[in-house]
Amino acid sequence: MPQSLFQRTLVLLKPDAIQRGLMGTIISRFESAGLKTVGMKLVWVDKEFSKKHYSAHVDKKFYIGLEEFITSGPVLAMAIEGIHAVDVVRKLVGPTEPKEATPGTIRGDFAHHSYDYADKKNIAIKNLIHASGNKEDAEKEIALWFDEKEMHTYKTVHEMHVF
Ligand code: AMP
């Protein structure tokens, strides 16, 4: 297996996903695709941690609403592993704006919020999930959210066929 194609990515189920009871449904989408969960924990982040995670967005107009949203309840942090995991997870999740997400994607099936609506109300777009944008971000984000000892190496029964 070429190691660069075998990746880990960070997925956060945001407070809307947790509070709507969608954790199991969303996790099953990743499991069904043969991806492996190698880290998982429920975390209630504070403003300081939000600024670290969203450091690329702190100066943007929507950041205040985003911080309010991400600190409003527990978040399920997951480190997910697989072939091209970064891109595959983003494909399963769908585009940032749920209004534009096609049916079959997680955001397309379980949300319908829009940028227009979020911006008029000065709130973050409610899109259920954060998924790392690229391999470099994924490595940094996993290091921010997980200690080494919280990451697990194990074999799944699917590996003979999926990997
Ligand atoms: P990203 O790192 O691109 O996923 O963006 C971070 C999060 O900020 C998104 O997942 C949305 O929840 C939120 N967001 C991004 N752009 C906007 C916007 N224009 N208005 C409201 N929320 C936004």
Side-chain angles (χ1 to χ4, degrees), residues 26-46:
I26 294 173
I27 292 166
S28 73
R29 296 287 181 106
F30 300 126
E31 288 184 322
S32 300
L35 293 159
K36 191 202 284 191
T37 301
V38 291
M40 182 186 274
K41 61 181 175 181
L42 205 54
V43 189
W44 196 324
V45 299
D46 59 17

Side-chain angles (χ1 to χ4, degrees), residues 112-131:
H112 69 278
H113 230 224
S114 73
Y115 283 127
D116 275 356
Y117 184 80
D119 291 347
K120 281 198 177 70
K121 289 194 75 179
N122 265 326
I123 57 173
I125 195 157
K126 304 287 177 69
N127 59 5
L128 302 168
I129 299 172
H130 165 83

Side-chain angles (χ1 to χ4, degrees), residues 42-113:
L42 205 54
V43 189
W44 196 324
V45 299
D46 59 17
K47 292 181 177 186
E48 194 186 334
F49 193 88
S50 169
K51 288 185 181 74
K52 285 186 191 158
H53 174 72
Y54 283 126
S55 59
H57 298 311
V58 282
D59 296 327
K60 295 187 182 151
K61 194 167 169 278
F62 64 80
Y63 179 74
I64 294 169
L66 180 58
E67 184 181 87
E68 204 171 297
F69 175 44
I70 205 72
T71 60
S72 67
V75 164
L76 187 75
M78 303 174 68
I80 291 183
E81 188 175 273
I83 305 157
H84 297 287
V86 174
D87 288 345
V88 169
V89 164
R90 288 179 72 83
K91 180 188 68 171
L92 295 171
V93 168
T96 304
E97 186 182 30
K99 172 176 162 276
E100 295 302 320
T102 51
T105 64
I106 298 168
R107 286 174 174 151
D109 285 349
F110 301 111
H112 69 278
H113 230 224

Side-chain angles (χ1 to χ4, degrees), residues 8 38-40 79-80 142 146-153:
R8 286 180 169 180
V38 291
M40 182 186 274
I80 291 183
I142 288 173
F146 287 95
D147 288 337
E148 271 298 318
K149 63 179 187 317
E150 294 173 318
M151 301 289 286
H152 303 284
T153 304

